[in-house]
Amino acid sequence: MGTIWFWLVAIMITIYVLLDGFDLGAGAIHLLAAKTDEERRQVLASIGPVLDGNEVWLLAAGGTLYFAFPALYASAFSGFYLPLMIVLWLLILRGASIEFRNHIQSAVWDPLWDFLFCTSSLLLAVFFGAALGNVVRGVPLDASGYFFEPLWTNFRLDDETGILDWYTILVGVLALLALMMHGGLWVQMKTSGEVSRRAKRVAGRAWWGVVAITAIVTALTFRIQPQVKENFTTWPLGFVFPVLAVAGIAGVIFELRKHDERKAFFASCAYLAGMLTSVVFGVYPMVLPARNPVYSLTVATAKAGEYGLKIGLAWWIIGIILAAGYFTYVYRSFAGKVAVDKDSHGYGD
Amino acid sequence: MGQALDVHRLQFAFTVTFHYIFPQLTMGLALLLVYLKTKALRTGDEHYNRAARFWARIFGINFALGVVTGIPMEFQFGTNWAAFSKAAGGVIGQTLAMEGVFSFFLESSFLGLFLFGEKRLGRIGHWVAAFLVFLGSWLSGYLIVATDAWMQRPTGYRVGAHGEIELSSFWQLLLNKWALWQYAHNMLGAVQTGCFVMAGVGAFYLLTQRHENYGRTFVRAGVLVGAAAAILQLFPTGDMQGKLVAYNQQPTLAAMEGLFESQEGAPLAILGQPDVEKRKLDNPLEVPNMLSFLTYRQWRANIGDGSGSTAALARKIVRVAMDAVDADGLCAAPLHCQHRRMDDRGTGAAAVADLRIDAHCKRNLSARGGGQCVVHADWVHGDVHDPGDPVAVPDLSRDRTRTGTGKSSDR
């Protein structure tokens, strides 16, 4: 039962990254791809109707994590106190800047909201990447099951690690580039005209960075987290995940060259999904590796009671089927390119 | 350490209080939006659609603020209350995760459609979107109230070997009696907030003689719905909520009402400043006997020591008597059984049965313990029943009725 929930939470996080990834990415390239007010409104309109729904996946994944692995939630959230507070502020700034830009139409304030929207999206991508890096590298858990990490120490991978060291920063940069590519592909698919062309160019450039850093990070990960190598040698079937990632990243450039906007975006989804599932597969059965492997939190030590997990599975399946229904409906309703008319609320008058 | 705890409490109190400003408005407005959209659909009058559009914008921005101020709350379960989360996450995680999976997805998906898609959806489709947003936000409210209800009056759980709290009955968690009443009480409060805001805006328009047409609609809707909600909030929901506090958490009731000593015929303090050092209420403005009457429907009932006209009954949760009994009886809530009938499972899991046995070992109890079994407030969990109700514990196999068990405390 624990393993099932391990994968269900992993899937929810993956869906979150695929969905919120493109709007974070769209934010990160906001200043690069969209220059005029109209272009910027196009970028915002392309994510506006789905943004809240995408962020809900973070909440739902967090809630599910809390319910299925309470010990992990307790340990990770108290240990990652500082970066979580930063992430919180970034989420708030990002949400607020979008709302303010939509509600206060003023040429004086607009540049500030655009700047805040762009930088908060950008930093969120880096922090999420660094968080993933921390999980892979391992955190200084001790026998109590708790830890605390400062933001940075000496940037080296020794016992006194901080949130940021050279490895996690590298993962953060990879996350940023990957989401810029992902967001660029979304924007080029959903918009038209100059902004679409620029987004495509940004995505194409980010692609090179993604390929290079993915290769480096993958090689490093095998050295830093021995469990990854062990898992892939024990269950060679797990190679489907990295293969999916490679196919995805190859697909992106292939479809971009063919100018198939939709397929390029979906290839990028495949890349992100492949990367995340590879990591998840690599660290299993640990849910939070420790620097000292003895203290690692595993599926077995962190999971909640068996009865609760079983009951949870019943409502979770119903809930997710419903959610999938809503999302399909919403994305269909807002399918196609966005048009920026005077009143973006779509009211009749 | 004490200081860190105070800071944590302050921070969390601020987070939840600030967060709740927004949901209570949006939950109320959600109902009023459905009302306006229904009016529009039934009368075909475009006036109501325009009114709904006006409120949809206010709803939208407050909803967004509700979401972003809610995220810190979820974070702080882990950052501020890690030990609690670790212990109880398996239980309250259920309701919190259900909120995410069932209501957040529903609300956020259809809010987008409701705000941005009136043209695409058509009249009926847009009404459905409004209704689903309402449904999602009210469902969300229930699941959060159920979480709080479990913390106030825990049911449907057991304590594992390492002190971890595990869910043992999903439906007991979800249909906690406390949750049902608190929810009704709470949602009526939310409706009133929405109504006050709507009526207030309407009144402003009327008094300044602008958009008088809308002003009238807003005032009418706000006052009518608000008056009904206000009455229902007082009775029966507020009454029942108060009773639940009185039966389950005597000290909470006493603290809420500024009552420092147990008292027969306790007054209801309308006004007064608690002086904690002297243990009395300064400048009191009191209605004599009112608190006793409101709680137990008897003017002279005793408030504060739990012996009012209703007996409190703890069951099955106290596994070992020594868990429950504080030798000094300090800071403790008394556990009474003045019932004529009482259902003790006879399996050793019942608190009262255990207490009776240990009460004979004098050294386990202080002198006062001979007459009243004094149980730590922290450990008294479980149902409290009206007098005469037999207690049923569904998850125990043996169920036989004995009368007069727990005599030791029934002197």
Side-chain angles (χ1 to χ4, degrees):
Chain A
M1 198 46 75
T3 306
I4 294 175
W5 279 105
F6 177 82
W7 279 102
L8 293 183
V9 173
I11 289 169
M12 289 182 88
I13 292 174
T14 306
I15 294 175
Y16 168 69
V17 174
L18 295 186
L19 294 178
D20 209 31
F22 73 68
D23 60 60
L24 284 172
I29 64 162
H30 186 58
L31 294 180
L32 277 177
K35 303 286 186 190
T36 66
D37 179 55
E38 204 224 314
E39 287 172 3
R40 288 183 178 165
R41 296 227 318 259
Q42 272 195 40
V43 172
L44 288 172
S46 77
I47 60 173
V50 291
L51 177 74
D52 274 345
N54 294 346
E55 280 188 354
V56 163
W57 280 96
L58 177 66
L59 290 180
T64 309
L65 187 72
Y66 186 63
F67 137 80
F69 300 104
L72 166 65
Y73 193 88
S75 177
F77 274 64
S78 58
F80 293 140
Y81 190 96
L82 295 175
L84 280 172
M85 288 299 143
I86 294 174
V87 163
L88 209 51
W89 275 104
L90 292 173
L91 283 172
I92 291 171
L93 278 178
R94 182 161 177 269
S97 57
I98 297 173
E99 287 296 323
F100 275 115
R101 198 187 192 289
N102 283 339
H103 286 269
I104 303 176
Q105 251 121 45
S106 152
V108 181
W109 286 102
D110 281 353
L112 176 70
W113 306 132
D114 285 328
F115 171 77
L116 281 178
F117 173 54
C118 181
T119 41
S120 56
S121 305
L122 198 142
L123 286 173
L124 274 171
V126 175
F127 266 94
F128 284 145
L132 188 66
N134 269 273
V135 172
V136 172
R137 179 207 58 197
V139 294
L141 277 166
D142 60 19
S144 72
Y146 291 106
F147 68 97
F148 178 77
E149 266 194 314
L151 280 181
W152 63 80
T153 50
N154 52 12
F155 296 99
R156 282 201 296 269
L157 287 175
D158 48 25
D159 290 337
E160 292 293 314
T161 51
I163 300 293
L164 298 175
D165 58 35
W166 60 265
Y167 174 72
T168 58
I169 290 176
L170 201 61
V171 181
V173 172
L174 173 59
L176 175 62
L177 287 171
L179 293 188
M180 282 173 84
M181 173 182 86
H182 195 54
L185 292 170
W186 171 263
V187 173
Q188 55 99 22
M189 179 173 88
K190 293 295 286 185
T191 59
S192 46
E194 191 57 30
V195 63
S196 172
R197 270 191 294 283
R198 274 202 222 102
K200 199 177 287 181
R201 207 154 54 228
V202 173
R205 290 201 186 134
W207 185 86
W208 290 102
V210 173
V211 171
I213 302 185
T214 303
I216 299 170
V217 166
T218 308
L220 288 168
T221 302
F222 274 91
R223 289 183 55 131
I224 289 169
Q225 184 49 267
Q227 185 77 31
V228 179
K229 193 176 173 188
E230 200 183 309
N231 282 356
F232 278 105
T233 42
T234 323
W235 298 292
L237 203 62
F239 275 106
V240 292
F241 302 123
V243 168
L244 179 68
V246 172
I249 197 72
V252 169
I253 202 73
F254 183 69
E255 299 298 342
L256 262 185
R257 297 252 155 95
K258 275 196 350 197
H259 298 287
D260 189 328
E261 297 173 343
R262 280 167 61 86
K263 280 191 186 155
F265 175 72
F266 287 120
S268 166
C269 289
Y271 163 75
L272 288 174
M275 287 298 279
L276 284 165
T277 43
S278 301
V279 171
V280 169
F281 178 81
V283 296
Y284 180 84
M286 291 185 285
V287 288
L288 189 62
R291 296 297 291 158
N292 179 352
V294 182
Y295 300 126
S296 290
L297 285 178
T298 63
V299 169
T301 55
K303 70 174 177 165
E306 198 73 5
Y307 167 81
L309 292 181
K310 269 189 198 145
I311 282 277
L313 200 58
W315 57 251
W316 190 88
I317 289 170
I318 298 170
I320 290 297
I321 291 171
L322 284 172
Y326 313 146
F327 271 74
T328 317
Y329 184 70
V330 169
Y331 276 81
R332 279 204 174 166
S333 300
F334 293 104
K337 304 246 179 204
V338 290
V340 179
D341 44 11
K342 265 202 183 124
D343 185 358
S344 62
H345 281 63
Y347 296 132
D349 51 352
Chain B
M1 202 50 212
Q3 238 181 349
L5 182 65
D6 288 343
V7 173
H8 274 322
R9 293 180 65 183
L10 261 178
Q11 189 194 22
F12 191 70
F14 174 77
T15 308
V16 290
T17 313
F18 187 64
H19 166 68
Y20 193 60
I21 293 172
F22 305 103
Q24 70 162 339
L25 178 61
T26 52
M27 286 188 298
L29 282 182
L31 182 74
L32 291 166
L33 278 171
V34 172
Y35 167 80
L36 289 173
K37 291 304 290 185
T38 310
K39 273 273 196 183
L41 199 63
R42 289 180 57 171
T43 61
D45 190 347
E46 190 55 22
H47 169 74
Y48 288 106
N49 264 333
R50 282 194 294 268
R53 247 166 253 153
F54 172 81
W55 285 103
R57 287 173 190 239
I58 294 170
F59 179 86
I61 195 160
N62 280 293
F63 186 89
L65 278 163
V67 172
V68 293
T69 54
I71 298 173
M73 223 165 51
E74 184 171 328
F75 277 27
Q76 283 176 15
F77 291 138
T79 53
N80 293 27
W81 311 115
F84 171 72
S85 290
K86 189 175 181 176
V91 180
I92 62 169
Q94 289 272 351
T95 40
L96 291 176
M98 280 175 80
E99 189 200 14
V101 170
F102 285 105
S103 37
F104 286 168
F105 283 137
L106 185 68
E107 283 171 292
S108 58
S109 308
F110 287 96
L111 181 68
L113 283 171
F114 179 66
L115 292 180
F116 296 96
E118 187 168 352
K119 259 190 272 184
R120 296 174 199 234
L121 288 169
R123 277 156 45 86
I124 295 176
H126 199 238
W127 182 88
V128 171
F131 180 76
L132 289 175
V133 169
F134 156 76
L135 186 73
S137 64
W138 279 52
L139 186 65
S140 177
Y142 185 75
L143 290 165
I144 287 304
V145 166
T147 308
D148 178 61
W150 186 83
M151 291 164 71
Q152 303 293 336
R153 179 180 174 277
T155 51
Y157 72 99
R158 64 167 164 265
V159 180
H162 308 291
E164 75 279 11
I165 301 167
E166 286 179 4
L167 187 70
S168 69
S169 165
F170 178 68
W171 294 111
Q172 273 185 32
L173 168 70
L174 215 58
L175 300 178
N176 191 342
K177 189 174 167 189
W178 188 296
L180 299 173
W181 283 106
Q182 187 181 339
Y183 179 64
H185 189 57
N186 186 63
M187 297 319 278
L188 288 164
V191 171
Q192 281 175 71
T193 306
C195 286
F196 276 122
V197 172
M198 185 174 274
V201 171
F204 176 75
Y205 280 161
L206 284 178
L207 289 173
T208 53
Q209 301 181 335
R210 287 186 294 158
H211 316 293
E212 288 185 53
N213 205 3
Y214 291 106
R216 261 188 292 280
T217 306
F218 296 163
V219 170
R220 195 181 306 128
V223 169
L224 284 180
V225 181
I231 292 166
L232 288 171
Q233 176 159 46
L234 282 175
F235 192 86
T237 63
D239 179 52
M240 205 51 214
Q241 174 77 39
K243 281 184 184 165
L244 280 169
V245 173
Y247 299 165
N248 290 272
Q249 302 179 355
Q250 284 274 343
T252 309
L253 179 76
M256 281 183 348
E257 302 298 340
L259 201 65
F260 285 98
E261 307 285 345
S262 303
Q263 195 173 338
E264 275 179 18
L268 182 71
I270 309 274
L271 207 70
Q273 295 82 48
D275 184 337
V276 182
E277 305 233 307
K278 291 182 188 152
R279 294 174 59 81
K280 69 181 189 63
L281 214 55
D282 289 339
N283 318 317
L285 194 63
E286 294 174 332
V287 185
N289 296 341
M290 197 54 168
L291 187 58
S292 291
F293 178 77
L294 286 177
T295 312
Y296 296 118
R297 296 291 183 273
Q298 283 176 16
W299 295 105
R300 301 300 304 164
N302 191 319
I303 300 277
D305 72 352
S307 71
S309 62
T310 307
L313 229 179
R315 49 140 206 173
K316 99 187 168 78
I317 304 308
V318 187
R319 296 155 58 84
V320 184
M322 285 309 294
D323 280 354
V325 180
D326 172 20
D328 294 325
L330 289 173
C331 297
L335 175 72
H336 278 263
C337 43
Q338 290 186 325
H339 278 270
R340 279 183 300 112
R341 280 196 298 148
M342 193 173 83
D343 193 354
D344 152 34
R345 326 296 344 145
T347 56
V352 181
D354 277 348
L355 283 173
R356 184 166 57 90
I357 293 160
D358 267 21
H360 293 297
C361 309
K362 285 278 181 193
R363 65 192 162 81
N364 283 345
L365 291 169
S366 64
R368 278 178 285 169
Q372 289 184 354
C373 295
V374 184
V375 175
H376 245 304
D378 294 349
W379 285 94
V380 180
H381 309 299
D383 276 358
V384 169
H385 293 259
D386 296 332
D389 277 359
V391 184
V393 183
D395 48 328
L396 288 176
S397 52
R398 240 173 354 132
D399 194 317
R400 67 199 154 103
T401 307
R402 281 200 248 158
T403 48
T405 37
K407 272 223 174 71
S408 68
S409 52
D410 197 10
R411 189 172 50 178

